Coordinates of all heavy atoms in Angstrom, one line a residue:
M1 N 76.2 96.6 -44.6 CA 76.0 95.2 -44.7 C 75.8 94.9 -46.2 O 75.0 95.5 -46.9 CB 74.8 94.8 -43.9 CG 74.5 93.3 -44.0 SD 73.0 92.7 -43.1 CE 73.2 93.2 -41.5
K2 N 76.5 93.8 -46.6 CA 76.3 93.4 -48.0 C 75.0 92.6 -48.1 O 74.5 92.0 -47.2 CB 77.4 92.4 -48.4 CG 78.8 93.1 -48.5 CD 79.8 92.2 -49.0 CE 80.7 91.7 -47.9 NZ 81.7 90.8 -48.4
E3 N 74.4 92.7 -49.3 CA 73.1 92.0 -49.5 C 73.2 90.5 -49.3 O 72.3 89.9 -48.7 CB 72.6 92.3 -51.0 CG 71.2 91.8 -51.2 CD 70.6 92.3 -52.5 OE1 71.0 93.4 -52.9 OE2 69.9 91.5 -53.0
E4 N 74.3 89.9 -49.6 CA 74.4 88.5 -49.4 C 74.4 88.1 -47.9 O 73.9 87.1 -47.5 CB 75.7 87.9 -50.1 CG 76.9 88.6 -49.6 CD 78.1 88.4 -50.6 OE1 77.9 88.5 -51.8 OE2 79.2 88.2 -50.1
D5 N 75.0 89.0 -47.1 CA 75.0 88.8 -45.6 C 73.6 88.9 -45.1 O 73.2 88.2 -44.1 CB 75.9 89.8 -44.9 CG 77.4 89.6 -45.2 OD1 77.7 88.4 -45.6 OD2 78.1 90.5 -45.0
F6 N 72.8 89.8 -45.6 CA 71.4 90.0 -45.2 C 70.6 88.7 -45.3 O 69.9 88.3 -44.5 CB 70.7 91.1 -46.0 CG 69.3 91.4 -45.6 CD1 69.0 92.0 -44.4 CD2 68.3 90.9 -46.4 CE1 67.7 92.2 -44.0 CE2 67.0 91.1 -46.0 CZ 66.7 91.8 -44.8
D7 N 70.8 88.0 -46.5 CA 70.0 86.8 -46.7 C 70.4 85.7 -45.7 O 69.6 85.0 -45.2 CB 70.3 86.3 -48.1 CG 69.6 87.1 -49.2 OD1 68.6 87.8 -48.8 OD2 70.0 87.1 -50.3
R8 N 71.7 85.7 -45.4 CA 72.2 84.7 -44.4 C 71.6 84.9 -43.0 O 71.3 84.0 -42.3 CB 73.7 84.7 -44.4 CG 74.3 83.4 -44.0 CD 75.8 83.4 -44.2 NE 76.3 83.8 -45.5 CZ 77.3 84.6 -45.7 NH1 78.1 85.0 -44.7 NH2 77.7 85.0 -46.9
T9 N 71.5 86.2 -42.6 CA 71.0 86.4 -41.3 C 69.5 86.2 -41.1 O 69.1 86.0 -40.0 CB 71.4 87.8 -40.8 OG1 70.8 88.8 -41.7 CG2 72.9 88.0 -40.8
T10 N 68.8 86.3 -42.2 CA 67.3 86.2 -42.0 C 66.8 84.7 -42.3 O 65.7 84.4 -42.1 CB 66.6 87.1 -43.0 OG1 67.0 86.8 -44.3 CG2 66.8 88.5 -42.7
T11 N 67.7 83.9 -42.7 CA 67.4 82.5 -42.9 C 67.6 81.7 -41.6 O 68.7 81.7 -41.1 CB 68.2 81.9 -44.1 OG1 68.0 82.7 -45.2 CG2 67.8 80.5 -44.4
Y12 N 66.6 80.9 -41.2 CA 66.8 80.1 -40.0 C 67.1 78.6 -40.5 O 66.5 78.1 -41.4 CB 65.5 80.1 -39.2 CG 65.2 81.4 -38.6 CD1 64.3 82.3 -39.2 CD2 65.9 81.9 -37.5 CE1 64.0 83.5 -38.7 CE2 65.6 83.1 -37.0 CZ 64.7 83.9 -37.6 OH 64.5 85.2 -37.0
S13 N 67.9 78.0 -39.7 CA 68.2 76.6 -40.0 C 67.4 75.7 -39.1 O 66.7 76.1 -38.2 CB 69.7 76.3 -39.7 OG 70.0 76.4 -38.4
D14 N 67.4 74.4 -39.4 CA 66.6 73.5 -38.6 C 67.1 73.4 -37.2 O 66.3 72.9 -36.3 CB 66.6 72.1 -39.3 CG 65.8 72.0 -40.6 OD1 64.9 72.9 -40.7 OD2 66.1 71.1 -41.4
K15 N 68.3 73.7 -37.0 CA 68.9 73.7 -35.6 C 68.2 74.6 -34.7 O 68.2 74.4 -33.5 CB 70.3 74.0 -35.6 CG 71.2 72.9 -36.4 CD 72.6 73.3 -36.4 CE 73.4 72.4 -37.3 NZ 74.8 72.8 -37.4
N16 N 67.6 75.7 -35.2 CA 66.9 76.7 -34.3 C 65.4 76.3 -34.1 O 64.8 77.0 -33.3 CB 67.0 78.1 -35.0 CG 68.4 78.6 -35.0 OD1 69.2 78.2 -34.2 ND2 68.6 79.5 -36.0
Q17 N 64.9 75.3 -34.6 CA 63.5 74.9 -34.4 C 63.4 74.0 -33.2 O 64.3 73.2 -32.9 CB 63.0 74.1 -35.6 CG 63.1 74.8 -36.9 CD 62.2 76.0 -37.0 OE1 61.1 75.9 -36.4 NE2 62.6 77.1 -37.5
I18 N 62.3 74.2 -32.5 CA 62.0 73.4 -31.3 C 61.3 72.1 -31.8 O 60.4 72.2 -32.5 CB 61.1 74.1 -30.3 CG1 61.7 75.4 -29.8 CG2 60.7 73.3 -29.2 CD1 60.8 76.3 -29.0
P19 N 61.8 71.0 -31.3 CA 61.2 69.7 -31.7 C 59.7 69.7 -31.3 O 59.4 70.2 -30.2 CB 62.0 68.6 -31.0 CG 63.3 69.3 -30.6 CD 63.0 70.7 -30.5
A20 N 58.9 69.0 -32.0 CA 57.4 69.0 -31.8 C 57.1 68.4 -30.4 O 56.3 68.9 -29.7 CB 56.7 68.2 -32.8
E21 N 57.9 67.4 -30.0 CA 57.6 66.8 -28.7 C 58.0 67.8 -27.5 O 57.2 67.9 -26.6 CB 58.5 65.5 -28.5 CG 58.3 64.8 -27.3 CD 59.2 63.5 -27.2 OE1 59.2 62.8 -28.2 OE2 59.8 63.3 -26.2
A22 N 59.1 68.5 -27.7 CA 59.4 69.5 -26.7 C 58.4 70.6 -26.6 O 58.1 71.1 -25.5 CB 60.8 70.0 -26.9
W23 N 57.9 71.1 -27.8 CA 56.9 72.1 -27.8 C 55.6 71.7 -27.1 O 55.1 72.4 -26.4 CB 56.7 72.5 -29.3 CG 55.5 73.5 -29.4 CD1 54.3 73.2 -29.9 CD2 55.4 74.8 -28.9 NE1 53.5 74.3 -29.8 CE2 54.2 75.3 -29.2 CE3 56.3 75.7 -28.2 CZ2 53.8 76.6 -28.8 CZ3 55.9 76.9 -27.9 CH2 54.7 77.4 -28.2
R24 N 55.2 70.5 -27.4 CA 54.0 70.0 -26.8 C 54.1 69.9 -25.3 O 53.2 70.2 -24.5 CB 53.6 68.6 -27.4 CG 52.3 68.0 -26.9 CD 51.2 68.9 -27.4 NE 50.0 68.6 -26.5 CZ 49.0 69.4 -26.5 NH1 48.9 70.5 -27.2 NH2 48.0 69.1 -25.7
S25 N 55.3 69.4 -24.8 CA 55.5 69.3 -23.4 C 55.5 70.7 -22.7 O 54.9 70.9 -21.7 CB 56.9 68.6 -23.2 OG 57.2 68.6 -21.8
F26 N 56.1 71.7 -23.4 CA 56.1 73.0 -22.9 C 54.7 73.6 -22.8 O 54.3 74.2 -21.8 CB 57.0 73.9 -23.8 CG 56.9 75.4 -23.4 CD1 57.6 75.9 -22.3 CD2 56.1 76.2 -24.2 CE1 57.5 77.3 -22.0 CE2 56.0 77.6 -23.9 CZ 56.7 78.1 -22.8
Y27 N 53.9 73.3 -23.9 CA 52.6 73.8 -23.9 C 51.7 73.2 -22.8 O 50.9 73.9 -22.2 CB 52.0 73.5 -25.3 CG 50.6 74.0 -25.5 CD1 50.4 75.3 -25.9 CD2 49.5 73.2 -25.3 CE1 49.1 75.8 -26.1 CE2 48.2 73.7 -25.5 CZ 48.0 75.0 -25.9 OH 46.7 75.5 -26.0
D28 N 51.9 71.9 -22.6 CA 51.1 71.2 -21.5 C 51.5 71.8 -20.1 O 50.6 72.1 -19.3 CB 51.4 69.7 -21.5 CG 50.8 69.0 -22.7 OD1 49.9 69.6 -23.3 OD2 51.2 67.9 -22.9
V29 N 52.7 72.1 -19.8 CA 53.1 72.7 -18.6 C 52.6 74.1 -18.4 O 52.1 74.5 -17.4 CB 54.7 72.7 -18.4 CG1 55.1 73.5 -17.2 CG2 55.2 71.2 -18.3
L30 N 52.6 74.8 -19.5 CA 52.1 76.2 -19.5 C 50.6 76.2 -19.2 O 50.1 77.0 -18.4 CB 52.4 76.9 -20.8 CG 51.9 78.3 -21.0 CD1 52.6 79.2 -20.0 CD2 52.1 78.8 -22.4
E31 N 49.9 75.3 -19.8 CA 48.4 75.2 -19.7 C 48.1 74.8 -18.2 O 47.2 75.4 -17.6 CB 47.9 74.1 -20.7 CG 46.4 74.2 -20.9 CD 46.0 73.3 -22.0 OE1 46.7 72.3 -22.4 OE2 44.9 73.7 -22.6
R32 N 48.8 73.9 -17.7 CA 48.6 73.5 -16.3 C 48.8 74.7 -15.3 O 48.1 74.9 -14.4 CB 49.5 72.3 -15.9 CG 49.1 71.0 -16.4 CD 50.2 70.0 -16.0 NE 49.7 68.6 -16.4 CZ 49.1 67.9 -15.5 NH1 48.7 68.3 -14.3 NH2 48.7 66.7 -15.9
G33 N 49.9 75.4 -15.6 CA 50.2 76.6 -14.8 C 49.0 77.6 -14.9 O 48.7 78.3 -13.9
I34 N 48.5 77.8 -16.0 CA 47.3 78.7 -16.2 C 46.1 78.3 -15.4 O 45.5 79.0 -14.7 CB 47.0 78.9 -17.7 CG1 48.1 79.7 -18.4 CG2 45.6 79.6 -17.8 CD1 47.9 79.7 -19.9
Y35 N 45.8 77.0 -15.4 CA 44.7 76.4 -14.6 C 45.0 76.6 -13.2 O 44.1 77.0 -12.4 CB 44.6 74.9 -14.9 CG 44.2 74.5 -16.3 CD1 44.5 73.3 -16.8 CD2 43.4 75.4 -17.1 CE1 44.1 72.9 -18.1 CE2 43.0 75.0 -18.4 CZ 43.4 73.8 -18.9 OH 43.0 73.4 -20.1
K36 N 46.2 76.4 -12.7 CA 46.5 76.5 -11.3 C 46.4 78.0 -10.9 O 46.0 78.3 -9.7 CB 47.9 76.0 -11.0 CG 47.9 74.5 -11.0 CD 49.2 73.9 -10.7 CE 49.2 72.4 -10.8 NZ 50.5 71.8 -10.4
E37 N 46.8 78.9 -11.7 CA 46.7 80.3 -11.4 C 45.3 80.8 -11.3 O 44.9 81.6 -10.5 CB 47.5 81.2 -12.5 CG 47.5 82.6 -12.2 CD 48.3 83.0 -10.9 OE1 49.1 82.2 -10.4 OE2 48.1 84.1 -10.4
L38 N 44.4 80.3 -12.3 CA 43.0 80.6 -12.2 C 42.4 80.1 -10.9 O 41.5 80.7 -10.3 CB 42.3 80.0 -13.4 CG 42.6 80.7 -14.8 CD1 42.0 79.9 -15.9 CD2 42.1 82.1 -14.8
H39 N 42.8 78.9 -10.5 CA 42.3 78.3 -9.2 C 42.8 79.2 -8.0 O 42.0 79.5 -7.1 CB 42.8 76.9 -9.1 CG 42.4 76.2 -7.8 ND1 43.2 76.1 -6.7 CD2 41.2 75.7 -7.4 CE1 42.6 75.5 -5.7 NE2 41.4 75.2 -6.1
R40 N 44.0 79.6 -8.1 CA 44.5 80.5 -7.0 C 43.7 81.8 -6.9 O 43.5 82.3 -5.8 CB 46.0 80.8 -7.2 CG 46.7 81.4 -6.1 CD 48.1 81.8 -6.4 NE 48.3 82.8 -7.3 CZ 48.1 84.1 -7.1 NH1 47.8 84.5 -5.9 NH2 48.2 85.0 -8.0
K41 N 43.3 82.3 -8.0 CA 42.5 83.5 -8.0 C 41.0 83.3 -7.8 O 40.2 84.2 -8.0 CB 42.8 84.3 -9.4 CG 44.2 84.8 -9.5 CD 44.3 85.6 -10.7 CE 45.7 86.2 -10.8 NZ 45.8 87.1 -11.9
K42 N 40.7 82.1 -7.5 CA 39.3 81.7 -7.2 C 38.4 81.8 -8.4 O 37.2 82.0 -8.3 CB 38.7 82.5 -6.0 CG 39.6 82.5 -4.8 CD 39.4 81.3 -4.0 CE 40.2 81.4 -2.7 NZ 40.9 80.3 -2.3
M43 N 38.9 81.6 -9.6 CA 38.1 81.6 -10.8 C 37.8 80.2 -11.2 O 37.0 80.0 -12.1 CB 38.9 82.4 -11.9 CG 39.2 83.8 -11.6 SD 40.2 84.7 -12.8 CE 39.0 85.0 -14.0
L44 N 38.4 79.2 -10.6 CA 38.0 77.8 -10.8 C 37.8 77.2 -9.4 O 38.6 77.5 -8.5 CB 39.2 77.1 -11.5 CG 39.4 77.3 -13.0 CD1 40.6 76.6 -13.5 CD2 38.2 77.0 -13.8
S45 N 36.9 76.3 -9.3 CA 36.7 75.6 -8.1 C 37.7 74.4 -8.0 O 38.4 74.1 -9.0 CB 35.3 75.0 -8.0 OG 35.1 74.0 -9.0
D46 N 37.7 73.8 -6.8 CA 38.6 72.6 -6.7 C 38.3 71.5 -7.7 O 39.1 70.9 -8.3 CB 38.5 72.1 -5.2 CG 39.1 73.0 -4.2 OD1 39.9 74.0 -4.6 OD2 38.8 72.9 -3.0
G47 N 37.0 71.3 -7.8 CA 36.5 70.2 -8.7 C 36.9 70.5 -10.2 O 37.3 69.6 -10.9
Q48 N 36.7 71.8 -10.6 CA 37.0 72.2 -12.0 C 38.5 72.0 -12.2 O 38.9 71.5 -13.3 CB 36.6 73.6 -12.2 CG 35.1 73.8 -12.3 CD 34.7 75.3 -12.3 OE1 35.3 76.1 -11.6 NE2 33.7 75.6 -13.2
L49 N 39.3 72.4 -11.3 CA 40.8 72.3 -11.4 C 41.1 70.8 -11.5 O 41.9 70.4 -12.4 CB 41.5 72.9 -10.2 CG 43.0 72.7 -10.3 CD1 43.6 73.5 -11.4 CD2 43.6 73.2 -9.0
C50 N 40.6 70.0 -10.7 CA 40.9 68.5 -10.7 C 40.5 68.0 -12.1 O 41.3 67.2 -12.7 CB 40.1 67.8 -9.6 SG 40.5 66.1 -9.4
I51 N 39.3 68.3 -12.6 CA 38.9 67.8 -13.9 C 39.9 68.2 -15.0 O 40.3 67.4 -15.9 CB 37.5 68.2 -14.2 CG1 36.5 67.5 -13.3 CG2 37.1 67.9 -15.7 CD1 35.1 68.0 -13.3
L52 N 40.2 69.5 -15.0 CA 41.1 70.0 -16.1 C 42.5 69.4 -16.0 O 43.1 69.1 -17.0 CB 41.2 71.6 -15.9 CG 40.0 72.3 -16.4 CD1 40.1 73.8 -15.9 CD2 39.7 72.2 -17.8
L53 N 43.0 69.2 -14.8 CA 44.3 68.6 -14.7 C 44.3 67.1 -15.1 O 45.3 66.6 -15.6 CB 44.9 68.8 -13.3 CG 45.2 70.2 -12.9 CD1 45.7 70.3 -11.4 CD2 46.2 70.8 -13.8
K54 N 43.2 66.4 -14.8 CA 43.1 65.0 -15.2 C 43.0 64.8 -16.7 O 43.4 63.8 -17.2 CB 41.9 64.3 -14.5 CG 42.1 64.0 -13.1 CD 40.9 63.3 -12.5 CE 41.2 63.0 -11.0 NZ 40.0 62.4 -10.4
T55 N 42.4 65.8 -17.4 CA 42.3 65.7 -18.8 C 43.6 65.9 -19.6 O 43.7 65.6 -20.8 CB 41.2 66.6 -19.4 OG1 41.6 67.9 -19.1 CG2 39.8 66.3 -18.8
K56 N 44.6 66.4 -18.9 CA 45.9 66.7 -19.6 C 46.9 65.6 -19.3 O 47.1 65.1 -18.3 CB 46.4 68.1 -19.2 CG 45.6 69.2 -19.8 CD 45.9 69.2 -21.2 CE 44.9 70.0 -22.0 NZ 45.0 69.8 -23.4

C-alpha cells in the first residue's frame, strides 16, 4: 500500500458521522431498554421503572 493511500483510508469524512439528533434518539431508546431489562430481572420495582421512563 502506498503511503498516500494509507492517509486516505484513515481519514473519516463528515458523511460517516451520526447526526447529534439521531445519536440522542438512539441513546434514549438504549437507556429505556436497559431500564426495562433491569425491571424484568426484578432489579427495579414497578414504581421505579415508571419514574425512570417518565423522566426520559
Side-chain angles (χ1 to χ4, degrees):
M1 178 186 302
K2 292 188 253 179
E3 189 170 326
E4 59 199 42
D5 291 339
F6 179 74
D7 288 339
R8 207 173 309 138
T9 58
T10 58
T11 303
Y12 295 100
S13 68
D14 289 338
K15 294 177 185 175
N16 292 334
Q17 300 294 322
I18 298 173
E21 184 178 311
W23 172 249
R24 184 67 200 164
S25 177
F26 172 77
Y27 184 82
D28 288 344
V29 170
L30 181 64
E31 198 170 25
R32 287 175 170 270
I34 291 169
Y35 295 153
K36 289 180 179 183
E37 185 64 19
L38 289 172
H39 178 259
R40 189 183 71 78
K41 291 184 176 187
K42 309 283 187 220
M43 297 174 81
L44 288 176
S45 68
D46 293 342
Q48 289 171 320
L49 177 64
C50 186
I51 290 169
L52 288 169
L53 292 177
K54 283 183 180 178
T55 61
K56 288 291 164 191

